[in-house]
Amino acid sequence: MSTSNPLANYSTELHDDQADKVDKYLHNLQLSDKTLMDVSLRFRREMDKGLCRDTNPTAAVKMLPTFVRSTPDGTEQGEFLALDLGGSNFRVLLVKVMGNGEQKVEMESQIYDIPEHIMRGSGSEFFDHIADCLANYLDKMGMKDKKLPLGFTFSFPCQQTKLDEITPPQPNIQPSLSLNPQAVLMSWTKGFRSSGVEGHDVVSLLRKSIKKRGDFDIDIVAVVNDTVGTMMTCGFDDRHCEVGLIVGTGTNACYMEQMRNIGVLDGDEGRMCVNTEWGAFGDDGALEDLRTDIDRELDAGSFNPGKQLFEKMISGMYMGELVRLILVKMARSQLLFQGKTTSELLTTGHFSTSHIYAIENDKDEEGIASAEKILRSLGLDPSVEDCIATRRVCQIVSTRAAHLCASSLASVLRQIRDNKAAEKLRVTIGVDGSVYKNHPEFSRRLNKMVRRLVPDCDVRFLQSQDGSGKGAAMVTAVAFRLANQNAERQRILDTLRLSREQLLEVKRRFSEEMTRGLSKQTHQQASIKMLPTYVRSTPDGSEHGDFLALDLGGSSFRVLLVRVRSGTKRSVDMQQKIYSIPQEIMQGTGEELFNHIVDCMADFLEYMGMKGASLPLGFTFSFPCDQTKLDEGILLKWTKGFKASGCEGKDVVALLKEAVRSRGEFDLNFVAVVNDTVGTMMTCGYEDPKCEVGLIVGTGTNACYMEEMHNVELVEGDNGRMCVNVEWGAFGENGELEEFCTEFDRLVDACSNYPGKQRYEKMISGMYLGEIVRNVLLDFTAKGLLFRGKVSERLKTRGIFETKFLSQIESDRLAMRQVRSILQHLGLTGSTCDDSVLVKEVCSVVARRAAQLSGAGLAAVVDKIRQNRNLNQLSITVGVDGTLYKTHPHFSAIMQETLRDLAPQCEVTFLKSEDGSGKGAALITAVACRVENEGQQ
């Protein structure tokens, strides 16, 4: 054999010539950007198939749920064991995690071998060996009597059903485990062939071996794949890490997927780590056009032909073998080694992936020298041309591996970006594996190609230190942290949850207060005032005529002309104009205020071509009034920023009529003072004669209903019915709701304009629900249960969390985008997907309680009507208005469900009202005129 130095003949020209020759020969291993983009699109389709319940069984890329629902947030702490099994040796680790500002991880570990005969023997021998090594480690650490939680990195394809369920922690006691995690081995890889394990739960097998020994016990909390372990390890150091990548003996990736996309699982809120198992990409033929004869020859000679085809094009287990097969083929084609081969070159496994690392050394000459040395070790006598060509073969094979890896990684990044609807995604990829770490050029090629394929992603690659062992411990630590936090959160939220027994008690107390409010003797002491409205009938369809309506309740008001037609063409037509009230008039004199209102009414009549008309008026006056008849309302006090002098204690109808008389342009022949809740009932009553209840659930909340006159003790007469304005928002002012109030309700009440007043309204209406939610969020944050314990100044601002946010958040189906957007508006820019899920849960609990309380009050009202009429079964319609009822996605359904449950003998239909304060006011006036005319006949 020649011993001449090939490098003596090395030149740049020679290098380029040989590289060109190899490039031409291996042109089908060199993939263009266009081809790589196509591969990326194919992989994205495979991901979709794996995620979909219907197509998952036949998908090559299985997209396995890992039941890891969160990445580390830096507050994890405790002692954990980790068992890291994925190759011919494994590690046992003791991991101490320190959170609360320190954010440190200390590890001690020991490596144990797995002999060849055990790798290929029986499953029981395999797990007995693992148990023996665990016992040895615990003995050495003096910890055999200490039962610690263990995270088990099992780096083989597994079908998982869950992590362990963790029971809520008790004071001074660490959380304990109630169920086993399950991970069924789908197939061995990496040369393992222990019998009786495939298709079985590896946790049960390990537990069985531990139990057989009987000298120690552990809690197996999580079975973790090494890729997930890598993501979790890097996630402890970088909050943006939500992708794990392994390129070593094998290759795989995992990432945090939206639950709504994981079709094989129920539930659509939050995220879960998905183990792609991308090594099997192409097993269904999806890569057939890109696989070469060399790939097929390598696959045919492997221990699992037809399986893991993508992995066989990328991973360290096969990279050296691909190069060897190419060198043999080129030698046989007279392109290398003067056409000669040796038994060593022809032997599988003799050209290792570590040889590629040495040959692809940064400097050409050193790499070529390494190539010569390695080729000579295979019994060859290489020329400088052979060494240059061999180096080029290595470069082409490893570059293809890096680029294929980049193309599938680009699919994962696009999926995450689309999930977040982000124009630019910032993400960190935690990486581990011998190829990524040891190959001199692999990481650079991979990183560069990823950035070319997804330029709209700001990608950072973070190399994992001790990924699989530390990662298993981190998964376990996160599981414990989540269990602790969730138990505390649920303890707090449980105070806002009402049982059926509690709701029945609310209904009973509400009924009692209604009776007290109706009675002349107890009316003054009752919290529910049950005010007579002097509305004695609902519409019967015979109402006819033109009516004015005046809707005054804020800094702007409406004047309406309402034309009511009876007969076959029964209809209500409305035209209106909105007028504003300047601040100086709101806070001036009463005379100025009512003169301004009358000026606007005159303008409206002129606009309608009705100057000088004399019409009846329905006057919706949304301020506290004492009524003794329909056309009189004594203003008790101004609210909503009004301070016009000379009005409180006066009849607002008289003030209005005096202003009309002073102007002298038109006349009002009748004025009905109207409450908007009654207007709601009347509007719906025009559509449905069975409507005898009105309900408002908006900024405020109230109800009214048709009561028997003999029960309305504040008004003379026993015949017929009268609408009673319940004024139910004040329920609870005598302490009836005290045991159902939480610390958050008390806080909202204390900070309100009228502490101790309107307690029921403060638990239900839109004016207060956002405040309740805001106070819960502040409490969660102060306890470190939300936003990583960091609160924004904006969230501390009273009223900043608007009730409309509850409706928007609970309507959100688009990956929590609406929630994230609202949280960013509140200055919480660092909020996570987990935070969004929790905010949504708080909104849901608060809104549910509000709907249930409304349902309980309404149950008392309809049951009273049923009992008044001595009916076994009542069929009735409720007219409803209010933004909360109309816009919240679940409020109405929960309220109706509660009503059905608490008043089973009442069949209630709900009819949404349109414009109770305008159209309703006119209809009240129309009914009053009809009744008056009937009385005169």
Side-chain angles (χ1 to χ4, degrees):
M1 187 179 289
S2 165
T3 58
S4 62
N5 178 10
L7 281 178
N9 300 321
Y10 177 78
S11 69
T12 304
E13 290 78 8
L14 185 63
H15 178 279
D16 291 346
D17 287 347
Q18 289 303 306
D20 285 346
K21 181 174 77 174
V22 175
D23 284 354
K24 283 174 186 169
Y25 188 77
L26 297 179
H27 68 91
N28 54 355
L29 269 79
Q30 296 172 78
L31 307 175
S32 67
D33 284 11
K34 184 180 176 185
T35 300
L36 291 168
M37 188 61 82
D38 180 56
V39 171
S40 186
L41 294 172
R42 293 186 208 182
F43 187 74
R44 183 74 180 270
R45 285 195 292 270
E46 291 298 312
M47 287 172 69
D48 290 342
K49 279 163 72 175
L51 287 169
C52 176
R53 188 189 296 267
D54 294 338
T55 51
N56 174 272
T58 57
V61 180
K62 285 299 179 191
M63 304 296 285
L64 302 173
T66 66
F67 297 86
V68 171
R69 294 176 181 270
S70 178
T71 49
D73 73 353
T75 62
E76 292 78 14
Q77 53 190 338
E79 279 190 320
F80 306 92
L81 282 171
L83 176 58
D84 181 14
L85 175 62
S88 56
N89 53 43
F90 73 98
R91 289 183 307 155
V92 182
L93 306 91
L94 175 65
V95 183
K96 292 180 183 175
V97 182
M98 286 153 280
N100 294 335
E102 289 186 72
Q103 209 172 322
K104 273 192 340 190
V105 177
E106 291 178 357
M107 294 189 293
E108 295 179 67
S109 67
Q110 185 162 333
I111 294 175
Y112 295 91
D113 287 328
I114 304 177
E116 183 80 14
H117 71 277
I118 286 178
M119 281 174 71
R120 294 167 184 268
S122 72
S124 58
E125 289 174 323
F126 177 81
F127 283 102
D128 285 351
H129 176 68
I130 303 295
D132 292 345
C133 296
L134 261 173
N136 173 271
Y137 182 77
L138 291 170
D139 213 16
K140 179 185 131 186
M141 300 297 291
M143 299 176 72
K144 258 192 172 172
D145 297 331
K146 199 170 181 181
K147 190 177 180 181
L148 288 177
L150 177 134
F152 182 13
T153 306
F154 190 72
S155 302
F156 304 92
C158 282
Q159 184 77 52
Q160 274 188 272
T161 54
K162 54 183 178 288
L163 287 184
D164 226 328
E165 300 293 331
I166 303 177
T167 58
Q170 304 301 317
N172 306 316
I173 301 175
Q174 198 172 29
S176 63
L177 305 159
S178 58
L179 295 170
N180 296 325
Q182 292 175 356
V184 175
L185 177 65
M186 295 166 70
S187 61
W188 282 117
T189 55
K190 306 175 192 179
F192 279 72
R193 287 191 186 171
S194 293
S195 61
V197 182
E198 289 182 346
H200 294 274
D201 172 26
V202 296
V203 176
S204 300
L205 295 172
L206 178 57
R207 278 191 193 283
K208 192 173 174 184
S209 292
I210 290 169
K211 193 172 180 182
K212 198 192 300 182
R213 282 190 59 94
D215 58 344
F216 73 96
D217 196 12
I218 52 174
D219 277 328
I220 303 174
V221 175
V223 181
V224 183
N225 140 306
D226 56 350
T227 321
V228 179
T230 295
M231 181 188 77
M232 295 297 271
T233 299
C234 295
F236 191 69
D237 299 317
D238 183 335
R239 298 282 183 280
H240 293 287
C241 184
E242 48 187 299
V243 182
L245 171 66
I246 300 267
V247 193
T249 311
T251 183
N252 195 13
C254 69
Y255 70 101
M256 295 302 290
E257 177 59 271
Q258 297 289 340
M259 277 293 292
R260 67 190 171 88
N261 292 334
I262 306 175
V264 294
L265 295 180
D266 294 329
D268 61 356
E269 291 186 353
R271 299 185 304 165
M272 181 180 286
C273 179
V274 166
N275 166 20
T276 64
E277 285 296 343
W278 77 10
F281 178 34
D283 287 7
D284 58 355
L287 294 174
E288 209 50 40
D289 57 324
L290 296 178
R291 291 176 69 229
T292 64
D293 292 343
I294 299 293
D295 293 309
R296 293 185 181 92
E297 188 178 343
L298 179 142
D299 177 49
S302 70
F303 73 90
N304 59 345
K307 302 292 182 189
Q308 299 296 106
L309 297 182
F310 189 60
E311 182 169 85
K312 287 169 184 171
M313 298 167 86
I314 290 175
S315 77
M317 177 174 270
Y318 303 101
M319 202 182 285
E321 187 60 12
L322 277 170
V323 170
R324 185 189 72 80
L325 291 171
I326 291 168
L327 296 181
V328 169
K329 191 175 180 185
M330 288 183 75
R332 287 175 174 165
S333 300
Q334 303 296 314
L335 296 171
L336 285 178
F337 318 130
Q338 297 175 320
K340 295 175 184 172
T341 59
T342 63
S343 59
E344 290 94 332
L345 182 63
L346 295 172
T347 304
T348 301
H350 272 213
F351 195 101
S352 71
T353 300
S354 59
H355 290 153
I356 297 175
Y357 306 158
I359 290 170
E360 283 200 68
N361 195 290
D362 286 343
K363 294 179 181 174
D364 287 345
E365 292 189 17
E366 286 180 22
I368 290 164
S370 295
E372 185 207 1
K373 184 179 175 184
I374 289 160
L375 293 171
R376 287 192 185 283
S377 73
L378 296 172
L380 297 162
D381 182 16
S383 65
V384 65
E385 290 88 346
D386 294 334
C387 295
I388 292 168
T390 299
R391 187 165 192 256
R392 185 60 187 152
V393 169
C394 291
Q395 287 172 336
I396 288 170
V397 168
S398 64
T399 298
R400 183 183 74 155
H403 287 177
L404 283 171
C405 193
S407 67
S408 45
L409 200 52
S411 303
V412 171
L413 295 172
R414 278 196 207 94
Q415 177 81 354
I416 296 171
R417 185 200 61 198
D418 292 351
N419 283 344
K420 294 183 176 181
E423 287 184 23
K424 181 95 175 169
L425 175 70
R426 182 184 174 194
V427 70
T428 297
I429 299 170
V431 202
D432 206 349
S434 53
V435 173
Y436 187 90
K437 287 182 171 179
N438 299 331
H439 189 289
E441 290 293 318
F442 189 94
S443 61
R444 185 186 64 80
R445 291 173 191 156
L446 172 69
N447 301 5
K448 188 176 176 184
M449 183 51 73
V450 165
R451 290 186 175 104
R452 264 164 57 186
L453 294 174
V454 274
D456 46 3
C457 294
D458 178 7
V459 183
R460 179 191 180 206
F461 288 84
L462 180 60
Q463 201 163 293
S464 167
Q465 304 301 322
D466 222 359
S468 46
K470 179 179 171 184
M474 287 313 308
V475 171
T476 311
V478 166
F480 266 68
R481 188 251 302 164
L482 290 177
N484 274 295
Q485 290 180 335
N486 191 52
E488 176 62 9
R489 277 191 294 263
Q490 295 312 317
R491 184 192 66 73
I492 295 166
L493 289 178
D494 279 348
T495 65
L496 287 153
R497 293 184 173 111
L498 297 173
S499 66
R500 185 172 187 272
E501 290 67 31
Q502 287 174 310
L503 289 167
L504 279 168
E505 181 60 18
V506 170
K507 178 194 170 188
R508 188 190 67 76
R509 294 181 190 185
F510 195 98
S511 299
E512 277 184 8
E513 282 302 301
M514 286 175 72
T515 304
R516 280 162 50 81
L518 286 168
S519 165
K520 190 180 283 188
Q521 199 175 347
T522 52
H523 173 80
Q524 287 301 325
Q525 295 81 44
S527 61
I528 300 177
K529 290 302 181 193
M530 306 292 286
L531 302 174
T533 67
Y534 299 88
V535 172
R536 296 176 179 271
S537 174
T538 52
D540 68 0
S542 65
E543 294 78 16
H544 192 88
D546 290 351
F547 303 89
L548 280 176
L550 174 61
D551 178 13
L552 176 65
S555 58
S556 64
F557 69 98
R558 295 184 302 155
V559 184
L560 305 93
L561 174 66
V562 182
R563 291 194 156 111
V564 182
R565 299 289 173 261
S566 59
T568 53
K569 294 185 178 178
R570 199 166 71 106
S571 66
V572 178
D573 295 321
M574 294 189 295
Q575 288 170 286
Q576 66 173 25
K577 272 185 90 171
I578 296 173
Y579 297 91
S580 62
I581 304 176
Q583 189 76 11
E584 63 269 19
I585 289 179
M586 283 172 68
Q587 301 188 355
T589 67
E591 188 178 353
E592 289 169 340
L593 174 63
F594 282 96
N595 283 342
H596 175 72
I597 291 168
V598 168
D599 289 345
C600 295
M601 290 173 71
D603 172 79
F604 177 73
L605 286 169
E606 188 170 352
Y607 169 75
M608 295 302 299
M610 299 177 69
K611 190 173 179 181
S614 177
L615 295 172
L617 171 74
F619 186 10
T620 303
F621 189 71
S622 301
F623 301 91
C625 276
D626 185 17
Q627 261 187 291
T628 53
K629 45 188 179 176
L630 185 58
D631 59 352
E632 179 183 279
I634 309 298
L635 175 64
L636 299 175
K637 64 180 176 191
W638 283 120
T639 56
K640 309 177 189 178
F642 279 74
K643 286 185 182 173
S645 62
C647 297
E648 290 182 351
K650 301 278 181 67
D651 174 14
V652 294
V653 174
L655 293 172
L656 181 66
K657 281 188 167 181
E658 175 58 29
V660 170
R661 191 193 62 74
S662 296
R663 184 169 176 101
E665 275 189 25
F666 65 95
D667 195 13
L668 301 174
N669 58 31
F670 177 80
V671 179
V673 179
V674 178
N675 164 291
D676 56 352
T677 317
V678 182
T680 294
M681 179 187 78
M682 297 297 269
T683 302
C684 295
Y686 190 74
E687 306 297 328
D688 180 349
K690 288 203 302 183
C691 181
E692 297 184 72
V693 181
L695 171 67
I696 301 246
V697 193
T699 311
T701 183
N702 194 16
C704 68
Y705 72 102
M706 296 304 291
E707 178 58 89
E708 306 302 314
M709 272 298 292
H710 63 80
N711 289 333
V712 186
E713 294 184 11
L714 298 180
V715 179
E716 293 296 322
D718 288 343
N719 297 327
R721 293 173 185 156
M722 180 179 285
C723 179
V724 167
N725 168 16
V726 180
E727 285 295 343
W728 80 4
F731 178 50
E733 288 182 13
N734 291 339
E736 304 95 330
L737 292 170
E738 198 52 41
E739 69 196 78
F740 310 115
C741 283
T742 66
E743 58 181 297
F744 310 111
D745 297 306
R746 294 184 186 100
L747 203 53
V748 167
D749 178 50
C751 295
S752 69
N753 292 334
Y754 303 102
K757 303 292 183 188
Q758 301 293 102
R759 296 304 297 272
Y760 189 57
E761 181 168 83
K762 286 170 185 171
M763 298 169 84
I764 291 175
S765 80
M767 182 172 273
Y768 302 101
L769 292 192
E771 265 304 279
I772 297 172
V773 168
R774 188 182 69 86
N775 280 291
V776 175
L777 300 184
L778 285 174
D779 186 61
F780 275 9
T781 309
K783 291 181 167 120
L785 305 173
L786 191 62
F787 308 134
R788 297 199 181 96
K790 294 172 186 168
V791 69
S792 72
E793 286 305 312
R794 280 180 71 84
L795 191 60
K796 292 179 186 174
T797 309
R798 194 166 151 247
I800 197 76
F801 199 102
E802 300 172 51
T803 296
K804 70 176 182 183
F805 293 165
L806 273 78
S807 298
Q808 291 168 357
I809 284 169
E810 286 214 64
S811 301
D812 197 354
R813 311 295 294 170
L814 298 172
M816 301 287 168
R817 290 172 198 165
Q818 189 75 40
V819 191
R820 304 275 301 256
S821 168
I822 288 167
L823 294 180
Q824 284 170 3
H825 165 74
L826 296 172
L828 298 157
T829 50
S831 63
T832 64
C833 181
D834 293 340
D835 290 332
S836 297
V837 172
L838 294 170
V839 169
K840 188 170 181 180
E841 184 179 12
V842 173
C843 291
S844 174
V845 169
V846 169
R848 181 176 189 81
R849 185 187 68 159
Q852 288 176 322
L853 284 170
S854 297
L858 201 53
V861 170
V862 295
D863 243 353
K864 177 138 189 14
I865 296 172
R866 182 184 64 79
Q867 289 161 9
N868 284 346
R869 299 175 189 181
N870 201 23
L871 296 171
N872 187 46
Q873 197 75 21
L874 172 72
S875 178
I876 196 165
T877 297
V878 176
V880 203
D881 205 348
T883 49
L884 188 58
Y885 182 91
K886 286 182 172 179
T887 63
H888 192 282
H890 311 303
F891 191 98
S892 59
I894 295 165
M895 187 184 82
Q896 290 171 33
E897 174 194 322
T898 307
L899 175 62
R900 278 193 298 272
D901 185 38
L902 302 185
Q905 290 168 273
C906 299
E907 184 190 314
V908 183
T909 303
F910 287 83
L911 187 59
K912 283 184 190 172
S913 163
E914 298 301 329
D915 199 9
S917 53
K919 180 180 174 181
L923 283 168
I924 289 172
T925 312
V927 168
C929 292
R930 185 203 83 206
V931 171
E932 188 180 337
N933 291 335
E934 286 170 353
Q936 290 170 356
Q937 288 171 6

